[in-house]
Each structure stands twice: as structure tokens, then as C-alpha cells.
């Protein structure tokens, strides 16, 4: 059977004040359809797989179950990065269904063309089953983005699964421009498929301690063991160390919604601005203006600004500095204003 | 007896969203002391006069009485600018106390040195009583302000009452700089003293229809007459047409608080910004950031911006465009969002 594993342990702060400790990004309705992002991820999982399993943090389990009530949710006792989360899900699935194939999906990304993404994931699942590879979805870059990891491919970016030559960390501006111009690079969307067997084999080979501990965890041993797991991403711990990785290009309008600056991709632009809720923008463009209730946000003569009212907090930041929200959140914590986080 | 007349009919929109139709600027606590501005004006009136009388609009009478419960309040049936309001108060006072001297005070200005202002007004009252002049308080300019009217004086700006040679409308930047450099100009603070007799005489001479109608109004004739009053300011209708006007210079830190850009003068600057309520400003200066409740306003990497949360609305405008709030308020009305005004 095909299984979708949705990674929903994120506690991202870059979308504060909408995103809070108790209600991180994947539980927010950021897109026009007003559906929590995790519900959209579950729908994608159901479109490509027979079973859907969500991995989240214990502190988010209840809110996650409330957001998608009819999906199985397992929770990590402590966060140990994606290698542990994916390994836990894979070990559980392998116990139940040794012939399983797994599609790993983030809970908090946005895809404009959902059918196109589902088709690409199915191509990945086919590859994983046929050739026992790890098959990633790769996004043909549309700009010199410095916030994403890249996949170096052979020239041409033909359709279907092709070998990944190298994983590339978030590049600087000059490198990103080269990658875009070369036509040999894809964005790493963090979506990939592999068989449960291959997953466990990769862990045994590249993260043997992780593999051993996870085996004990799923066999019912104390979950305190989980704390001993190495905190490492699946990309670093496995992907970059193994061979036999392929990628399927999919020009589907994907975004990781990594900051408020990504909201125009997610919600579109109307009359020059991206707005939600009650707003009035006079003589200004390129703004992201969001109010989560009847509070009016009114602006005049201001451009390229992010203004977000969510709950009991208001954020103001330049759109080109939207990644600094993380720094702001730290300052708020340091000023003993934790109750706003 | 000496009487203070406080003009409190303003419905200014330039301090929206704090200032609303039902709660204009004079009813707001904008200064650090958290007192409504009109209460501060009443305290000033009491410091210089035996009696205090407030003139306001009918729609604001209840809110005004609530803000300063122990002061006499009269209200205009319709707004007819300052000549009518001052004339109405003067006619009433003259009925009760024919030998009265009157100090006219705005309800919504800010004065840093309140004792200095009271002393200047007392000098004006003395002049009015001794020499039967109209005696203005003039503020020695501290910058080339284009938002204020000016008084052209003889050279030197010596202490005490000196003749006003000419009233000057709000100048452009170049003229304002000349005025500042010349040392012969004062800001017109809209504060002046004269006897009730002189007031009625000036009205009879320069605005005879106004004088006649007001006489009928105070003699108990229908207030519908009030609607027939000419809408003209006391400055235009009387001051600029009469002779015998003097001014007393008073360097007392005065501001008409004409827009949010004036808030730093009123509340001061701390760590580079002017703030009120719960705020967190990282890496930014010159901002005016005000929250009227527990809502946190958090900003990073933004300077010279006005961000005000008041009630159910949030304003964002560049500080150097703060006068455009009026335009924004019109746009809000045009978008059928009147309920926010």
C-alpha cells in the first residue's frame, strides 16, 4: 500500500503573530480557501496514497487532531528533526505493512496546481516502487531564490525521474542567479517517496544509532529513548550521503511560505496589494496587509510593507526584511512579552 | 471677573483612529499624563480665570461633560466656525458680567511649560484690561513650520505685549524659513484675551450680522437662528480686520498636535521612538507607535513610521505624510467603512 507521511512538527516563528507556539503555521488558513494548511496537505496525501499518517509534536497533537479529525496522528515526545520524525513514521508503517511505499509531505507548504503536484508525487511513488530509489519532487526555479535548497540535475530537466547529482544548501544571491540561469537546478521542495524497506535500510546505513533506537521505540520500549535520538535533518543525515536519488520536475507553483513575503504567491495580488480581512490601502502597492477579525487596517502612502494583525498582536516589517520576524520574536521573548508568542 | 472660554467644537480627523466622530482629539489623553486634553485646558483656564466656560458641538456635549464634569458647557446647534463660537460665549458672558475679560483657549493643544503659558495669558489679560487691546499669546518659532499661522511683529521680540503688524497664513517652506531666520515672527497659538465689551464691539464692527443674530440667540430666540450665522474664523473675521492687536511671546513648548507627527513633541522620545501602550520596536527610530490596549505592536527594521492601534482600527502612515490621514479617512468613508470613523 501507499502511505503518505505528513510532517507537522514545525513551530515556525517567521509567520508570527498569526503563527503562535500553540498554533503554528500548518494549523493556519493562509491561502484564499481558508482551510488550515495541514488539511490541504492531508487532501494531497489522500490523492496519492491509501493511508495518511501525521507526525507532530506532543504539544500540538490535540490541535492537529482538531484540525483534521479523521486522520491518524502520532506525536514525538520531543522534537528531534526530520530524520527522527520520518524514521519513526517509517518504522511504524513497516511494522504494519512491510511492502509499504511512503510519500513524505510537509504540512505547511503551498501548491497552486494541486493536481499537478499529485501527478508528480505519483510519478515519484512509481519510481520508488520500480527502481527502489528515493524520488524527490523538484520545482523548476522561477526566480533566484536564496531561501531554498537546490538539487543539481543533469542538463535539460527532461520530464520524469532523473538522477540528482548533488544537494545544494541555500545559496547566496550570485550563486542563486547562476543556478537559475544554468537550467540544471531544481528547488528541493522537501517532498519525496521511497519504500519503507529502503527507508529503514538507509537509516541503518547512514544513521545506525537512530535506526536502532527507533526499532526499540516502535517495539514498545520507553519513549524516553526518543530523547537520545540524534537531531539531524533527513536531507543531511540520509539524502546527501546516499546515492540513487532521483527527482521529478514539477512546475506547480510551489512555495514553502517561509515568511510573510511569500503571501502574495499564496493569496495573490489584488489592486497591487495582498490583503485579508478588513483593509483600506490608499496610494500604496506591494504590501501584505492582513487582519484576522473586524479590525480595520488602514494605510496611506506606504509600499512594500507587511502589516499583520492576528489575535492580540500587530506586526510591522518591511517585506524585504520579512525573515527578520524570527529576530523580532526573540526580542519579544527577551522583553518578557512571552505571552504574545 | 476673568473668564476662560474653551473652544471644544473640533471634530478633527487627522488623529484618526484615536480621534473618532464621537470622541475627537480634545477628549483624548494624548500626553504622558493620560488626561483628556480638554481637562488640561480646563486646568489652564482655572489657573488664569475665575470662571471657565466650554463651547462645543451638540453632538459632543455629553461626552464633554463626562470628561470635565464640573465645568459649564454650552453647545452650538450647528458648527459655524470660531467667530460664531467665540461670539456666542462672549454674548452670554457679557449678559452675566458686563465688565468681564475673556481668555479664549483651544481645548486640544499641548503645552510643555504650563506655568509659563499661564503667566503669558495673565499678561495678555492685564493688557486687555489696561489698554482695551486684543492680546495674543505668540510662540517664538523653533523650526520652519508650514502648518501654523504666523504673527509678524516688530524687530526684537522683546518681552511683554507688543503690537502685531500683520497676520500671516500658513506659509510655504521657503517663507517659513525666512520667518524663522528673521526673528520678527511668532506662531499664532490661537490663544487671546480681550474684554467682553471689546469682543462685542469688534463683532458689531466687522461681522454685524453675526453680532445681531447672536444678540437674538442669547435673548432666548430660537436657536435655529444660529444656522444663519456666517461660517468664518475669528482670525479672518475680526483679527485681520481690526487694529490694536498685540502679542506676548511665550517660549513654552506649544504644539497644536495637528497630526500624529506631532506626538514626539507631546509625549517625548524614548530610545529613539515615541511609544504608548505595549510595543516592541527593534532596529528602528523616529517611529510613533501607539496601542490603546493590551494589543502588542511589534516592529523591526522600520523607521519614521506612524503605527496607531485605537479601538477597532489600525493606522499605518509615514510620519512625513501624517497630514494625509485626513485623505485616508475620506477614502474609508467612501468605501462604506463609516463605522470606523
Amino acid at each position: 500500500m501507499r502511505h503518505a507521511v505528513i510532517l507537522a512538527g514545525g513551530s515556525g516563528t517567521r509567520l508570527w503573530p498569526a503563527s503562535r507556539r500553540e498554533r503554528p503555521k500548518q494549523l493556519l488558513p493562509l491561502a484564499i480557501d481558508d482551510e488550515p494548511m495541514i488539511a490541504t496537505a492531508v487532501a494531497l496525501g489522500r490523492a496519492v496514497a491509501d493511508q495518511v499518517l501525521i507526525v507532530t509534536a506532543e504539544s500540538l497533537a490535540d490541535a492537529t487532531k482538531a484540525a483534521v479529525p479523521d486522520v491518524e496522528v502520532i506525536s514525538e515526545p520531543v522534537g528531534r528533526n526530520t530524520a527522527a520524525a520520518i524514521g519513526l513514521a517509517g518504522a511504524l508503517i513497516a511494522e504494519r505493512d512491510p511492502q509499504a511505499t511512503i510519500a513524505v509531505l510537509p504540512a505547511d507548504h503551498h501548491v497552486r496546481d494541486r493536481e499537478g503536484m499529485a501527478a508528480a508525487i505519483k510519478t515519484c511513488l512509481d519510481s520508488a516502487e520500480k527502481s527502489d530509489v528515493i524520488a524527490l519532487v523538484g520545482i523548476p526555479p522561477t526566480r533566484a531564490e536564496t531561501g531554498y535548497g537546490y538539487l543539481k540535475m543533469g542538463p535539460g530537466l527532461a520530464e520524469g525521474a532523473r538522477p540528482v547529482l548533488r544537494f545544494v544548501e541555500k545559496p547566496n544571491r550570485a550563486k542563486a542567479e547562476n543556478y537559475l540561469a544554468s537550467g540544471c537546478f531544481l528547488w528541493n521542495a522537501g517532498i519525496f517517496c521511497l519504500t519503507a524497506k529502503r527507508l529503514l535500510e538507509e537509516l541503518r546505513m547512514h544513521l545506525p544509532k537512530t535506526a536502532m533506537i527507533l526499532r526499540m521505540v516502535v517495539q514498545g520500549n520507553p519513549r524516553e529513548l526518543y530523547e537520545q535520538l540524534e537531531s539531524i535533518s533527513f536531507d543531511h543525515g540520509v539524502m546527501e550521503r546516499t546515492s540513487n536519488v532521483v527527482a521529478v520536475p514539477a512546475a506547480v507553483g510551489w512555495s514553502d511560505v517561509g515568511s510573510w513575503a511569500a503571501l502574495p504567491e499564496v493569496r495573490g495580488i489584488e489592486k497591487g496589494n495582498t490583503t485579508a480581512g478588513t483593509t483600506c490601502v490608499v496610494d500604496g502597492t506591494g504590501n501584505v496587509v492582513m487582519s484576522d477579525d473586524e479590525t480595520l487596517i488602514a494605510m496611506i502612502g506606504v509600499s512594500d510593507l507587511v502589516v499583520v494583525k492576528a489575535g492580540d498582536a500587530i506586526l510591522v516589517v518591511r517585506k524585504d526584511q520579512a525573515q527578520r520576524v524570527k529576530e523580532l520574536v526573540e526580542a519579544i521573548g527577551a522583553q518578557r512579552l512571552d505571552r504574545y508568542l
Side-chain angles (χ1 to χ4, degrees), chain A residues 284-317:
Chain A
T285 58
N287 299 292
V288 173
V289 189
M290 304 184 68
S291 174
D292 69 343
D293 61 15
E294 290 296 298
T295 304
L296 168 67
I297 305 179
M299 304 170 42
I300 185 163
V302 179
S303 288
D304 301 317
L305 207 66
V306 172
V307 181
V308 178
K309 145 83 179 69
D312 57 3
I314 298 162
L315 164 73
V316 181
V317 64

Side-chain angles (χ1 to χ4, degrees), chain A residues 235-257:
Chain A
D235 275 11
H236 281 316
V238 175
M239 292 279 198
E240 295 170 11
R241 298 174 183 178
T242 191
S243 50
N244 283 326
V245 182
V246 300
V248 173
V252 292
W254 167 89
S255 167
D256 79 346
V257 198

Side-chain angles (χ1 to χ4, degrees), chain A residues 11-25 28 30 257-260 306-317 322 324-333 337-341:
Chain A
S11 56
T13 55
R14 284 177 301 174
L15 291 184
W16 183 91
S19 164
R20 305 284 178 111
R21 280 178 185 156
E22 311 295 312
R23 192 165 170 261
K25 188 173 124 197
L28 300 177
L30 290 173
V257 198
S259 78
W260 287 113
V306 172
V307 181
V308 178
K309 145 83 179 69
D312 57 3
I314 298 162
L315 164 73
V316 181
V317 64
R324 294 186 74 190
V325 171
K326 203 175 165 172
E327 191 183 334
L328 182 60
V329 162
E330 281 159 20
I332 291 167
L337 296 167
D338 303 58
R339 63 187 185 281
Y340 294 100
L341 301 182

Side-chain angles (χ1 to χ4, degrees), chain A residues 105-177:
Chain A
L105 310 175
D108 59 355
H109 291 184
H110 180 260
V111 176
R112 198 179 55 241
D113 173 7
R114 295 180 189 181
E115 287 182 19
M117 178 58 92
I121 295 170
K122 282 180 190 162
T123 306
C124 289
L125 285 162
D126 291 344
S127 280
E129 287 168 0
K130 253 189 300 190
S131 323
D132 201 20
V133 290
I134 304 180
L136 291 138
V137 174
I139 312 294
T142 53
R143 60 179 184 271
E145 174 65 49
T146 58
Y148 294 152
Y150 285 73
L151 309 171
K152 171 140 204 236
M153 311 291 290
L157 295 184
E159 272 194 32
R162 300 275 297 274
V164 173
L165 304 185
R166 190 160 58 86
F167 282 78
V168 184
E169 299 270 346
K170 295 175 184 179
N172 61 26
R173 167 75 39 193
K175 280 188 181 167
E177 275 163 11

